[in-house]
Amino acid sequence: MPKYVMWGSYCDNVLEKRAPYRQAHLDGLAAQKESGVLITIGPTKDLTKVFGIYEAEDAATVHQLVEADPYWKNGVWTEYSIKEWIQAF
């Protein structure tokens, strides 16, 4: 199955803005991880970017997952891009 890399950006004041949505966000990611579609995801140390790796049928599936996330719906993530990834090692 194809793998996809997602890069995105966080809003300003991310720590404050994410607080009301954090548990729903983490619960959704845990469900994605358990289903096998999410391999890994997390922020950069400076909390400006988010990086994730997904394994899905197609890019549209990954777009749907990202856009259903509470962080996207509530402006915590401000933009993102998805690229199909070839894992060499």
Side-chain angles (χ1 to χ4, degrees), residues 40-53:
T40 191
I41 194 166
T44 55
K45 188 172 181 177
D46 65 2
L47 297 176
T48 60
K49 300 289 183 185
V50 60
F51 171 80
I53 300 174

Side-chain angles (χ1 to χ4, degrees), residues 1-4 39 54-59 84-85:
M1 190 171 316
K3 291 184 178 155
Y4 298 90
I39 296 171
Y54 295 80
E55 189 168 23
E57 291 290 330
D58 52 34
E84 190 168 355
W85 177 54

Side-chain angles (χ1 to χ4, degrees), residues 15-59:
L15 294 177
E16 296 83 20
K17 185 147 186 180
R18 75 179 183 184
Y21 316 109
R22 186 162 169 73
Q23 192 58 55
H25 166 72
L26 294 174
D27 291 347
L29 294 178
Q32 291 175 24
K33 180 80 169 164
E34 187 174 314
S35 77
V37 70
L38 178 63
I39 296 171
T40 191
I41 194 166
T44 55
K45 188 172 181 177
D46 65 2
L47 297 176
T48 60
K49 300 289 183 185
V50 60
F51 171 80
I53 300 174
Y54 295 80
E55 189 168 23
E57 291 290 330
D58 52 34

Side-chain angles (χ1 to χ4, degrees), residues 49-84:
K49 300 289 183 185
V50 60
F51 171 80
I53 300 174
Y54 295 80
E55 189 168 23
E57 291 290 330
D58 52 34
T61 300
V62 180
H63 282 281
Q64 289 171 348
L65 291 169
V66 170
E67 292 181 12
D69 190 285
Y71 279 13
W72 178 256
K73 288 181 168 184
N74 294 284
V76 178
W77 290 339
T78 59
E79 58 84 27
Y80 75 95
S81 64
I82 293 172
K83 297 285 185 183
E84 190 168 355

